[in-house]
Amino acid sequence: MSQLEYRDVRSAVDRIAGLVRPVTVAAAGPGACGAEGVWFACEFMQCTGTFKARGAANFAASHQEAGTMPPSGVVIASGGNAGLACAWAAARIGIRAAVFTPTTAPAVKVAGLRALGADVHQVGTEYSEALEASRHYAAETGALESHAYDHPLIAAGAGTLFEEIHAALPDVDTVVVAVGGGGLFAGTAAAADHHGVRVVAVEPRDCRALNAAIAAGQPVDVTVDSVAADALGARRASQTALDWALRADVRSVLVPDEEIIAARRHLWDNHRLAVETAAATAHAALLSGAYTPAPGEKVCVVLCGANTDPADLVRR
């Protein structure tokens, strides 16, 4: 039995109602991505710029309801997006947030963290190093440890996104999501499985934590080397993500960095959508042919975030 079930997603729907922005679902247009019936879930419009706000709101609200939020606040390790969401959720309820990021975190995300009032600590060059430092901080201060993806409340909150997608597109056949450590994937898979919808899990070729776990039958460490590593650079997928990958109707696909870059450019040139590389990773699965929808298949691509500097999208 997974640590995450559909009922947890439904509880999260009720808990975060009114705290986050409902997703906008838009048709990609005739023949978009080389296929008919493609839709975009524009989650990059979410509070803090990514789907992470859903999990953070669920985590903070749950602990606030239970009276288990300590005076020392909350601590999280993050490539940037989960930290932004955690800091936002903490500020909403007036608690302190300490965020540990790698030194490689994009400047735009670090600036956002500071603007939200977070105590920012930059440690190491990878998420795993920031995570270890955050755990030491929690042990020393008594702060409550949150997680970028490997926590049932975080994953359940992320899964609320699919509930909104399904309400907007009740006849959707397939949802396409980018995968890092697996929080969005696990929550999406739990909800999609309940509704009989396929999930396409997309990872950069050189950041393939879930794909490698599926092949090995257990979570394993992988190399982290991708243009999308700031958001998708988990060295190891969660056990919950693997459980859902093996339990639900899931296709795991990989895309190279050049296809991710091309997909991000395509979203700007053809739709005027400025998203980060993680969001473009999901889109790249269709553009590159890593996943080819069947005739008549209705597909929704999750554009999960836009915490990026759009300057490099403008052609000069």
Side-chain angles (χ1 to χ4, degrees), residues 41-296:
C42 299
E43 184 66 356
F44 59 87
M45 297 167 65
Q46 186 54 260
C47 301
T48 76
T50 74
F51 74 94
K52 296 283 190 180
R54 296 174 180 273
N58 192 43
F59 180 88
S62 178
H63 281 283
Q64 186 180 37
E65 290 171 5
T68 51
M69 185 65 74
S72 48
V74 63
V75 59
I76 191 170
S78 165
N81 285 339
L84 286 163
C86 180
W88 165 80
R92 282 193 69 263
I93 58 176
I95 62 169
R96 179 182 179 186
V99 181
F100 286 74
T101 75
T103 56
T104 52
V108 66
K109 297 183 181 182
V110 175
L113 286 166
R114 292 189 170 125
L116 286 167
D119 298 326
V120 183
H121 307 262
Q122 294 194 268
V123 179
T125 59
E126 292 185 9
Y127 168 77
S128 58
E129 295 170 281
L131 177 61
E132 184 176 356
S134 75
R135 287 171 172 165
H136 285 300
Y137 177 92
E140 292 171 357
T141 65
L144 177 67
E145 287 186 77
S146 186
H147 199 281
Y149 58 89
D150 194 7
H151 192 287
L153 288 170
I154 298 295
T160 64
L161 171 58
F162 183 79
E163 288 295 278
E164 293 177 13
I165 291 171
H166 190 262
L169 301 173
D171 56 345
V172 67
D173 299 299
T174 303
V175 61
V176 183
V177 295
V179 182
L184 174 60
F185 165 76
T188 298
D193 181 68
H194 177 81
H195 295 290
V197 174
R198 175 184 301 108
V199 181
V200 177
V202 192
E203 295 171 276
R205 186 171 58 196
D206 296 316
C207 275
R208 51 183 291 265
L210 180 62
N211 182 268
I214 293 169
Q218 62 182 5
V220 293
D221 287 346
V222 298
T223 300
V224 174
D225 183 16
S226 170
V227 68
D230 66 295
L232 304 180
R235 186 167 290 280
R236 175 180 288 236
S238 71
Q239 182 64 52
T240 301
L242 176 58
D243 290 345
W244 276 106
L246 300 177
R247 174 176 172 180
D249 182 2
V250 172
R251 284 279 303 278
S252 171
V253 303
L254 303 176
V255 291
D257 274 6
E258 56 266 28
E259 295 290 355
I260 295 171
I261 294 168
R264 182 169 176 264
R265 167 64 65 181
H266 181 272
L267 285 165
W268 174 251
D269 287 346
N270 292 273
H271 303 282
R272 282 298 185 259
L273 299 177
V275 303
E276 60 186 272
T277 49
T281 298
H283 186 52
L286 296 187
L287 285 184
S288 68
Y291 181 77
T292 302

